[in-house]
């Protein structure tokens, strides 16, 4: 992922899956690939499109976050990997639909043609739909957690994360910001379209592990700051990043009149805001000690990322 997340555990620190990104990437791909399956009775083009969107590329930031929190809280690794894979399916769907001509109309994603360019629009819509359905299938499978109540909670919270108060609602605010560019409206949009899924990564790991209220409050505070910071950094990269590194077309937000952090605050203040949020992330983790080092690394990565 980056220098801070190089795959080496620091001496004296317990190694966890989030500190071994290559291994984690392989494990997540294996869960998604197996869940897509190979049934000959299914439409091969749909399965191919789902694999094109969900396997191989991407930083797997959300998966790493799930694993880092579940390692911190002592959740079972197999279940955490399945939750991480389900979240990466939702994330992949959101990118596929975001890139469609009726939304942001993008040609490049993760360094390759967007799904509707590589396949066709109808396939991209359906592959996105099927990836969402697959996420719920993965979560509600007893292999994710033996207790039905835990699986039910995971499903309920994901449904809320995706709906009007989450990704779909955030994307509406992104596409139809109204006349007024304000920082309140910008923050609401960013918290929903991006923050909600990052928040769910932490919430889902806490649900899996069954942590106490005090730990949950600190972790959710961390998650909210992290999600907003991740999107502000995305806005900054859209304005000042390198297209080759980021792997998608940039400098479209301003042209499209989007209510982004950079449009609202300017580049310098957007950077300052991201820096404050990074500091808040680290502060929220005080109390977990060195056991939360993978989470500190992820916050540092989210702030410093160039892709
Ligand atoms: C889920 C029901 C439902 C609807 C989706 C299309 C849509 C509604 C929402 C789009 C939300 C969106 C694309 C927000 C941007 C999130 C974001 C910062 C994406 C980039 O994440 P990275 O940098 O990407 O982690 P990689 O490629 O590394 O995984």
């Amino acid at each position: 992922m980056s220098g801070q997340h190089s795959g080496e555990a620091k001496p004296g620190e317990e190694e966890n899956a989030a500190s071994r990104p290559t291994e984690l990437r392989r494990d997540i791909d294996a869960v998604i690939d197996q869940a897509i399956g190979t049934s000959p009775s299914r439409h091969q083009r749909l399965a191919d499109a789902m694999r094109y969107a969900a396997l191989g590329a991407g930083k797997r930031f959300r998966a790493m976050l799930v694993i880092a929190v579940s390692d911190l809280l002592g959740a079972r690794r197999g279940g955490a990997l399945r939750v991480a894979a389900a979240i990466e399916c939702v994330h992949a769907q959101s990118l596929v639909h975001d890139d469609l001509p009726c939304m942001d109309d993008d040609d490049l994603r993760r360094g390759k043609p967007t799904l509707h360019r590589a396949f066709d629009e109808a396939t991209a819509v359906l592959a996105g739909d099927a990836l969402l359905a697959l996420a719920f299938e993965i979560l509600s499978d007893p292999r994710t957690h033996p207790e039905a109540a835990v699986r039910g909670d995971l499903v309920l919270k994901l449904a809320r994360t995706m709906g009007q108060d989450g990704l779909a609602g955030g994307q509406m605010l992104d596409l139809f910001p109204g006349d007024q560019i304000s920082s309140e409206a910008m923050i609401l949009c960013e918290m929903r379209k991006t923050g909600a899924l990052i928040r769910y990564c932490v919430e889902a790991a806490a649900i899996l592990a069954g942590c106490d209220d005090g730990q949950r409050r600190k972790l959710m505070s961390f998650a909210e700051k992290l999600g907003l910071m991740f999107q502000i950094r995305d806005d900054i990269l859209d304005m000042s990043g390198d297209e080759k590194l980021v792997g998608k077309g940039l400098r479209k937000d301003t042209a499209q009149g989007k209510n982004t952090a950079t449009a609202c605050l300017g580049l310098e203040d957007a950077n300052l805001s991201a820096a404050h949020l990074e500091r808040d992330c680290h502060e929220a983790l005080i109390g977990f000690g060195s056991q939360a080092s993978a989470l500190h690394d992820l916050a540092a990565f989210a702030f410093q990322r160039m892709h």
Side-chain angles (χ1 to χ4, degrees):
M1 196 151 106
S2 79
Q4 313 89 32
H5 229 61
S6 60
E8 301 273 322
K10 294 179 197 114
E13 275 177 4
E14 202 182 316
E15 231 187 329
N16 59 39
S19 68
R20 297 194 299 271
T22 312
E23 194 178 305
L24 176 68
R25 185 177 288 281
R26 187 201 60 205
D27 291 346
I28 294 294
D29 274 19
V31 175
I32 298 174
D33 191 46
Q34 183 273 331
I36 294 172
T38 53
S39 168
S41 67
R42 291 176 176 162
H43 206 300
Q44 191 56 45
R45 187 173 174 81
L46 182 58
D48 289 347
M50 291 166 76
R51 287 194 165 88
Y52 184 90
L55 297 182
K59 292 182 289 295
R60 297 298 192 214
F61 179 81
R62 292 155 192 79
M64 289 190 198
L65 184 56
V66 173
I67 299 301
V69 176
S70 53
D71 280 358
L72 173 68
L73 299 175
R76 204 173 48 87
R77 174 63 52 81
L81 278 174
R82 293 180 61 80
V83 168
I87 290 171
E88 289 290 345
C89 287
V90 174
H91 174 52
Q93 177 272 353
S94 76
L95 300 181
V96 168
H97 283 195
D98 187 54
D99 291 336
L100 286 169
C102 63
M103 297 218 187
D104 280 2
D105 193 10
D106 279 309
D107 296 334
L108 201 66
R109 172 68 72 179
R110 293 175 163 174
K112 60 184 189 180
T114 48
L115 186 57
H116 66 277
R117 292 271 175 237
F119 288 70
D120 61 88
E121 263 183 71
T123 303
V125 170
L126 292 169
D129 293 344
L131 282 168
L132 283 191
L134 193 65
F136 284 108
E137 196 179 323
I138 293 171
L139 287 185
S140 46
D141 187 304
R143 282 176 291 177
T144 299
H145 197 281
E147 287 174 39
V150 170
R151 301 198 299 275
D153 205 16
L154 289 172
V155 164
L156 172 68
K157 300 289 169 35
L158 180 61
R160 286 187 182 147
T161 296
M162 282 166 31
Q164 295 177 82
D165 297 330
L167 274 79
Q171 184 73 348
M172 279 302 281
L173 292 169
D174 181 89
L175 293 171
F176 303 99
D179 300 334
Q180 202 78 46
I181 289 203
S182 73
S183 54
E184 290 77 17
M186 177 272 290
I187 288 171
L188 187 64
C189 173
E190 316 246 88
M191 295 282 279
R192 287 185 175 168
K193 74 172 183 181
T194 302
L197 194 56
I198 287 179
R199 185 183 190 283
Y200 178 73
C201 294
V202 174
E203 186 174 35
I207 291 170
L208 266 186
C211 69
D212 67 46
D213 286 351
Q215 286 178 317
R216 188 183 292 244
R217 258 196 308 279
K218 284 181 205 147
L219 287 169
M220 296 321 293
S221 162
F222 164 77
E224 272 159 27
K225 313 289 182 198
L226 182 66
L228 181 56
M229 191 241 292
F230 195 90
Q231 181 57 50
I232 291 177
R233 188 67 205 151
D234 215 68
D235 294 343
I236 293 168
L237 286 175
D238 183 80
M239 186 173 262
S240 63
D242 176 332
E243 290 198 354
K244 278 212 180 72
L245 276 180
V246 179
K248 63 172 186 177
L250 298 177
R251 284 164 267 290
K252 294 184 71 186
D253 289 347
T254 314
Q256 291 173 342
K258 296 264 166 109
N259 191 7
T260 61
T262 47
C264 234
L265 309 172
L267 191 54
E268 203 175 313
D269 281 1
N271 251 319
L272 261 180
S273 172
H276 288 149
L277 287 162
E278 190 210 358
R279 183 204 55 206
D280 292 347
C281 282
H282 295 305
E283 278 179 15
L285 296 172
I286 292 172
F288 290 104
S290 64
Q291 299 226 304
S293 65
L295 290 178
H296 285 289
D297 284 355
L298 285 170
F301 170 77
F303 177 60
Q304 290 162 20
R305 74 193 180 95
M306 300 303 287
H307 62 106

